[in-house]
Short mmCIF file of all heavy atoms in Angstrom, two decimals:
data_model
loop_
_atom_site.label_atom_id
_atom_site.label_comp_id
_atom_site.label_asym_id
_atom_site.label_seq_id
_atom_site.Cartn_x
_atom_site.Cartn_y
_atom_site.Cartn_z
N GLY A 1 -163.78 69.55 84.25
CA GLY A 1 -162.81 68.73 83.54
C GLY A 1 -163.48 67.70 82.66
O GLY A 1 -164.72 67.65 82.52
N GLU A 2 -162.65 66.86 82.08
CA GLU A 2 -163.10 65.84 81.12
C GLU A 2 -162.50 64.51 81.51
O GLU A 2 -161.32 64.41 81.85
CB GLU A 2 -162.67 66.24 79.71
CG GLU A 2 -163.05 65.23 78.64
CD GLU A 2 -161.93 64.25 78.34
OE1 GLU A 2 -160.77 64.56 78.65
OE2 GLU A 2 -162.24 63.16 77.80
N LYS A 3 -163.33 63.48 81.52
CA LYS A 3 -162.88 62.12 81.82
C LYS A 3 -163.59 61.17 80.86
O LYS A 3 -164.82 61.11 80.86
CB LYS A 3 -163.19 61.76 83.27
CG LYS A 3 -162.75 60.35 83.67
CD LYS A 3 -161.25 60.22 83.72
CE LYS A 3 -160.85 58.87 84.29
NZ LYS A 3 -159.38 58.70 84.33
N GLN A 4 -162.81 60.48 80.03
CA GLN A 4 -163.35 59.53 79.06
C GLN A 4 -164.45 60.16 78.21
O GLN A 4 -165.49 59.56 77.95
CB GLN A 4 -163.87 58.29 79.80
CG GLN A 4 -162.77 57.53 80.53
CD GLN A 4 -163.29 56.35 81.31
OE1 GLN A 4 -164.48 56.23 81.56
NE2 GLN A 4 -162.38 55.47 81.70
N GLY A 5 -164.19 61.41 77.78
CA GLY A 5 -165.09 62.09 76.87
C GLY A 5 -166.28 62.75 77.52
O GLY A 5 -167.08 63.40 76.83
N GLU A 6 -166.43 62.63 78.84
CA GLU A 6 -167.58 63.23 79.52
C GLU A 6 -167.11 64.31 80.50
O GLU A 6 -166.00 64.27 81.02
CB GLU A 6 -168.40 62.16 80.24
CG GLU A 6 -169.06 61.20 79.26
CD GLU A 6 -169.90 60.15 79.96
OE1 GLU A 6 -169.49 59.69 81.04
OE2 GLU A 6 -170.94 59.78 79.40
N THR A 7 -168.00 65.25 80.75
CA THR A 7 -167.69 66.42 81.57
C THR A 7 -167.97 66.16 83.04
O THR A 7 -168.93 65.49 83.40
CB THR A 7 -168.54 67.62 81.10
OG1 THR A 7 -168.12 67.99 79.79
CG2 THR A 7 -168.40 68.80 82.03
N TYR A 8 -167.11 66.71 83.90
CA TYR A 8 -167.42 66.76 85.33
C TYR A 8 -167.19 68.19 85.83
O TYR A 8 -166.44 68.97 85.24
CB TYR A 8 -166.57 65.77 86.12
CG TYR A 8 -165.08 66.04 86.15
CD1 TYR A 8 -164.53 67.00 87.00
CD2 TYR A 8 -164.20 65.32 85.35
CE1 TYR A 8 -163.16 67.23 87.05
CE2 TYR A 8 -162.83 65.54 85.39
CZ TYR A 8 -162.32 66.50 86.23
OH TYR A 8 -160.97 66.74 86.28
N LEU A 9 -167.88 68.53 86.90
CA LEU A 9 -167.63 69.76 87.64
C LEU A 9 -166.89 69.39 88.92
O LEU A 9 -167.01 68.26 89.41
CB LEU A 9 -168.94 70.48 87.97
CG LEU A 9 -169.78 70.93 86.77
CD1 LEU A 9 -171.04 71.65 87.25
CD2 LEU A 9 -168.99 71.80 85.81
N SER A 10 -166.15 70.33 89.47
CA SER A 10 -165.40 70.06 90.70
C SER A 10 -165.50 71.24 91.65
O SER A 10 -165.72 72.38 91.24
CB SER A 10 -163.93 69.76 90.38
OG SER A 10 -163.30 70.88 89.77
N PHE A 11 -165.36 70.94 92.93
CA PHE A 11 -165.36 71.99 93.95
C PHE A 11 -164.61 71.48 95.17
O PHE A 11 -164.52 70.26 95.40
CB PHE A 11 -166.78 72.42 94.31
CG PHE A 11 -167.70 71.29 94.72
CD1 PHE A 11 -167.88 70.94 96.05
CD2 PHE A 11 -168.40 70.58 93.76
CE1 PHE A 11 -168.72 69.91 96.42
CE2 PHE A 11 -169.26 69.55 94.11
CZ PHE A 11 -169.42 69.21 95.45
N GLY A 12 -164.04 72.39 95.94
CA GLY A 12 -163.26 71.95 97.08
C GLY A 12 -162.89 73.07 98.02
O GLY A 12 -163.11 74.25 97.74
N TYR A 13 -162.31 72.66 99.15
CA TYR A 13 -161.87 73.61 100.17
C TYR A 13 -160.66 73.03 100.89
O TYR A 13 -160.65 71.85 101.22
CB TYR A 13 -162.99 73.90 101.17
CG TYR A 13 -162.49 74.72 102.34
CD1 TYR A 13 -162.43 76.11 102.25
CD2 TYR A 13 -162.05 74.11 103.51
CE1 TYR A 13 -161.95 76.86 103.30
CE2 TYR A 13 -161.55 74.86 104.57
CZ TYR A 13 -161.50 76.23 104.45
OH TYR A 13 -161.01 76.99 105.48
N PRO A 14 -159.64 73.89 101.24
CA PRO A 14 -159.46 75.21 100.63
C PRO A 14 -159.11 75.06 99.15
O PRO A 14 -159.37 74.00 98.59
CB PRO A 14 -158.33 75.83 101.45
CG PRO A 14 -157.56 74.66 102.00
CD PRO A 14 -158.57 73.55 102.18
N TYR A 15 -158.54 76.03 98.55
CA TYR A 15 -158.49 76.04 97.10
C TYR A 15 -157.39 75.14 96.52
O TYR A 15 -156.34 74.90 97.10
CB TYR A 15 -158.33 77.46 96.56
CG TYR A 15 -157.15 78.23 97.13
CD1 TYR A 15 -155.87 78.09 96.62
CD2 TYR A 15 -157.34 79.12 98.17
CE1 TYR A 15 -154.80 78.79 97.13
CE2 TYR A 15 -156.28 79.84 98.71
CZ TYR A 15 -155.02 79.66 98.19
OH TYR A 15 -153.96 80.36 98.71
N LEU A 16 -157.70 74.67 95.33
CA LEU A 16 -156.75 73.97 94.47
C LEU A 16 -156.75 74.69 93.14
O LEU A 16 -157.82 74.89 92.54
CB LEU A 16 -157.17 72.51 94.28
CG LEU A 16 -156.46 71.73 93.17
CD1 LEU A 16 -154.99 71.49 93.54
CD2 LEU A 16 -157.17 70.41 92.89
N GLU A 17 -155.59 75.16 92.68
CA GLU A 17 -155.49 75.76 91.34
C GLU A 17 -154.67 74.81 90.48
O GLU A 17 -153.47 74.63 90.72
CB GLU A 17 -154.84 77.14 91.42
CG GLU A 17 -155.73 78.17 92.09
CD GLU A 17 -155.68 79.52 91.41
OE1 GLU A 17 -154.62 80.17 91.48
OE2 GLU A 17 -156.69 79.93 90.80
N ALA A 18 -155.32 74.24 89.49
CA ALA A 18 -154.68 73.20 88.69
C ALA A 18 -155.28 73.20 87.28
O ALA A 18 -156.42 73.59 87.09
CB ALA A 18 -154.88 71.84 89.36
N PRO A 19 -154.52 72.81 86.28
CA PRO A 19 -153.15 72.33 86.35
C PRO A 19 -152.12 73.46 86.51
O PRO A 19 -150.93 73.19 86.68
CB PRO A 19 -152.94 71.63 85.01
CG PRO A 19 -153.83 72.38 84.08
CD PRO A 19 -155.04 72.75 84.89
N TYR A 20 -152.59 74.71 86.46
CA TYR A 20 -151.69 75.86 86.63
C TYR A 20 -152.35 76.90 87.51
O TYR A 20 -153.57 76.98 87.61
CB TYR A 20 -151.35 76.51 85.27
CG TYR A 20 -150.69 75.58 84.28
CD1 TYR A 20 -151.42 75.05 83.22
CD2 TYR A 20 -149.35 75.23 84.41
CE1 TYR A 20 -150.82 74.20 82.30
CE2 TYR A 20 -148.74 74.38 83.50
CZ TYR A 20 -149.49 73.87 82.45
OH TYR A 20 -148.89 73.01 81.55
N THR A 21 -151.53 77.73 88.11
CA THR A 21 -151.98 78.95 88.77
C THR A 21 -151.79 80.11 87.80
O THR A 21 -150.70 80.28 87.25
CB THR A 21 -151.16 79.22 90.05
OG1 THR A 21 -151.39 78.17 90.98
CG2 THR A 21 -151.54 80.54 90.68
N TYR A 22 -152.85 80.88 87.57
CA TYR A 22 -152.75 82.03 86.66
C TYR A 22 -152.41 83.26 87.50
O TYR A 22 -153.27 83.88 88.10
CB TYR A 22 -154.06 82.22 85.92
CG TYR A 22 -153.99 83.23 84.79
CD1 TYR A 22 -152.90 83.27 83.93
CD2 TYR A 22 -155.02 84.12 84.57
CE1 TYR A 22 -152.83 84.18 82.89
CE2 TYR A 22 -154.98 85.03 83.52
CZ TYR A 22 -153.88 85.06 82.69
OH TYR A 22 -153.82 85.97 81.64
N LYS A 23 -151.13 83.61 87.54
CA LYS A 23 -150.69 84.60 88.52
C LYS A 23 -150.46 85.98 87.94
O LYS A 23 -150.39 86.97 88.67
CB LYS A 23 -149.41 84.14 89.20
CG LYS A 23 -148.18 84.11 88.30
CD LYS A 23 -146.93 83.79 89.12
CE LYS A 23 -145.67 83.92 88.28
NZ LYS A 23 -144.45 83.66 89.07
N ARG A 24 -150.31 86.07 86.62
CA ARG A 24 -150.02 87.34 85.97
C ARG A 24 -150.43 87.22 84.51
O ARG A 24 -150.56 86.13 83.99
CB ARG A 24 -148.53 87.66 86.08
CG ARG A 24 -148.16 89.08 85.69
CD ARG A 24 -146.70 89.37 85.98
NE ARG A 24 -146.34 90.72 85.58
CZ ARG A 24 -145.12 91.23 85.70
NH1 ARG A 24 -144.16 90.49 86.23
NH2 ARG A 24 -144.87 92.46 85.31
N LYS A 25 -150.64 88.34 83.84
CA LYS A 25 -151.12 88.31 82.47
C LYS A 25 -150.26 87.39 81.60
O LYS A 25 -149.05 87.56 81.51
CB LYS A 25 -151.14 89.72 81.89
CG LYS A 25 -151.69 89.77 80.46
CD LYS A 25 -151.72 91.19 79.94
CE LYS A 25 -152.20 91.22 78.50
NZ LYS A 25 -152.23 92.59 77.95
N LEU A 26 -150.93 86.40 80.99
CA LEU A 26 -150.30 85.44 80.09
C LEU A 26 -149.14 84.70 80.74
O LEU A 26 -148.15 84.37 80.10
CB LEU A 26 -149.85 86.13 78.79
CG LEU A 26 -150.95 86.88 78.02
CD1 LEU A 26 -150.40 87.45 76.72
CD2 LEU A 26 -152.14 85.99 77.76
N THR A 27 -149.28 84.44 82.05
CA THR A 27 -148.24 83.73 82.80
C THR A 27 -148.88 82.62 83.63
O THR A 27 -149.55 82.89 84.62
CB THR A 27 -147.48 84.69 83.73
OG1 THR A 27 -146.94 85.77 82.96
CG2 THR A 27 -146.34 83.96 84.43
N LEU A 28 -148.67 81.38 83.20
CA LEU A 28 -149.17 80.22 83.93
C LEU A 28 -148.04 79.65 84.79
O LEU A 28 -147.01 79.23 84.27
CB LEU A 28 -149.68 79.17 82.95
CG LEU A 28 -150.92 79.56 82.14
CD1 LEU A 28 -151.19 78.53 81.05
CD2 LEU A 28 -152.14 79.72 83.03
N ALA A 29 -148.25 79.65 86.09
CA ALA A 29 -147.27 79.12 87.03
C ALA A 29 -147.68 77.69 87.42
O ALA A 29 -148.80 77.26 87.14
CB ALA A 29 -147.21 80.01 88.27
N PRO A 30 -146.78 76.96 88.09
CA PRO A 30 -147.16 75.62 88.55
C PRO A 30 -148.39 75.66 89.44
O PRO A 30 -148.70 76.68 90.07
CB PRO A 30 -145.92 75.17 89.33
CG PRO A 30 -144.79 75.93 88.72
CD PRO A 30 -145.36 77.26 88.35
N GLN A 31 -149.10 74.55 89.51
CA GLN A 31 -150.34 74.50 90.27
C GLN A 31 -150.08 74.77 91.75
O GLN A 31 -148.97 74.61 92.25
CB GLN A 31 -151.04 73.16 90.09
CG GLN A 31 -150.52 72.02 90.93
CD GLN A 31 -151.47 70.83 90.87
OE1 GLN A 31 -151.92 70.42 89.81
NE2 GLN A 31 -151.77 70.26 92.02
N SER A 32 -151.13 75.17 92.45
CA SER A 32 -151.03 75.43 93.89
C SER A 32 -152.17 74.73 94.61
O SER A 32 -153.28 74.63 94.09
CB SER A 32 -151.08 76.94 94.17
OG SER A 32 -152.29 77.50 93.70
N GLN A 33 -151.87 74.23 95.79
CA GLN A 33 -152.87 73.57 96.61
C GLN A 33 -152.70 74.05 98.04
O GLN A 33 -151.63 73.90 98.64
CB GLN A 33 -152.74 72.05 96.54
CG GLN A 33 -153.85 71.31 97.27
CD GLN A 33 -153.81 69.81 97.01
OE1 GLN A 33 -152.76 69.26 96.70
NE2 GLN A 33 -154.94 69.14 97.15
N ALA A 34 -153.75 74.67 98.59
CA ALA A 34 -153.70 75.21 99.94
C ALA A 34 -154.25 74.19 100.93
O ALA A 34 -155.15 73.40 100.61
CB ALA A 34 -154.51 76.50 100.02
N PHE A 35 -153.70 74.22 102.15
CA PHE A 35 -154.14 73.32 103.20
C PHE A 35 -154.57 74.15 104.41
O PHE A 35 -153.81 74.98 104.90
CB PHE A 35 -153.02 72.35 103.59
CG PHE A 35 -152.74 71.32 102.53
CD1 PHE A 35 -151.96 71.64 101.43
CD2 PHE A 35 -153.29 70.06 102.61
CE1 PHE A 35 -151.71 70.71 100.43
CE2 PHE A 35 -153.06 69.12 101.62
CZ PHE A 35 -152.27 69.44 100.53
N ALA A 36 -155.80 73.91 104.85
CA ALA A 36 -156.31 74.56 106.06
C ALA A 36 -156.01 73.68 107.27
O ALA A 36 -155.89 72.46 107.15
CB ALA A 36 -157.81 74.80 105.93
#
């Protein structure tokens, strides 16, 4: 992502899909966040 013009990398567990979940060809669904 980008914050104040600078790049960051991110990682996590379990998964977070944001700002959208890409669920089907050319179809962006609302984001998803899984909880273990």
Side-chain angles (χ1 to χ4, degrees):
E2 178 266 339
K3 180 69 173 179
Q4 297 177 344
E6 294 181 323
T7 293
Y8 66 80
L9 299 181
S10 62
F11 53 94
Y13 172 85
Y15 54 83
L16 167 69
E17 291 220 292
Y20 301 104
T21 296
Y22 190 42
K23 69 173 187 178
R24 192 174 179 181
K25 182 178 177 181
L26 304 183
T27 304
L28 294 171
Q31 81 168 47
S32 60
Q33 186 172 25
F35 289 81

